[in-house]
Amino acid sequence: MAGAWIAARLNYDKALVILPDSKEMFESRVRVITQVPPPPGMALILPTDSTVGANDGDVGEAPARKYRNLGLYLDTAEVTNAQYAEFVATG
């Protein structure tokens, strides 16, 4: 199980060797990433640019700022402590 995740993560990292600043290059990277199948039991959360925080919200929310989510694989089911320990032990 861990081997499939590691292989998929390496392929994902290859697709993001350079994080482009131009919109066209960023969208091209997203297209490449979507061609990498996620490991079994996982879903791909695509890279996105978004604004987090608020200028008129609570003190802890300010200021509004741009954030680039680099994308990630997310388990579709909860991971137990034992499963995580097994993954960590595989190196």
Side-chain angles (χ1 to χ4, degrees), residues 13-88:
D13 288 344
K14 287 179 190 173
L16 285 177
V17 170
I18 298 172
L19 288 174
D21 288 328
S22 78
K23 182 178 179 179
E24 295 81 20
M25 290 181 68
F26 184 75
E27 290 171 353
S28 174
R29 294 288 176 167
V30 170
R31 282 192 298 277
V32 169
I33 291 167
T34 59
Q35 295 174 16
V36 177
M42 299 189 94
L44 174 63
I45 307 301
L46 291 172
T48 58
D49 287 329
S50 58
T51 301
V52 297
N55 291 326
D56 57 355
D58 292 334
V59 174
E61 295 179 0
R65 57 213 174 270
K66 293 211 174 264
Y67 173 76
R68 177 167 279 180
N69 164 27
L70 302 179
L72 59 114
Y73 289 112
L74 183 67
D75 281 315
T76 56
E78 290 184 35
V79 176
T80 66
N81 287 339
Q83 290 170 320
Y84 181 71
E86 177 188 349
F87 168 74
V88 171

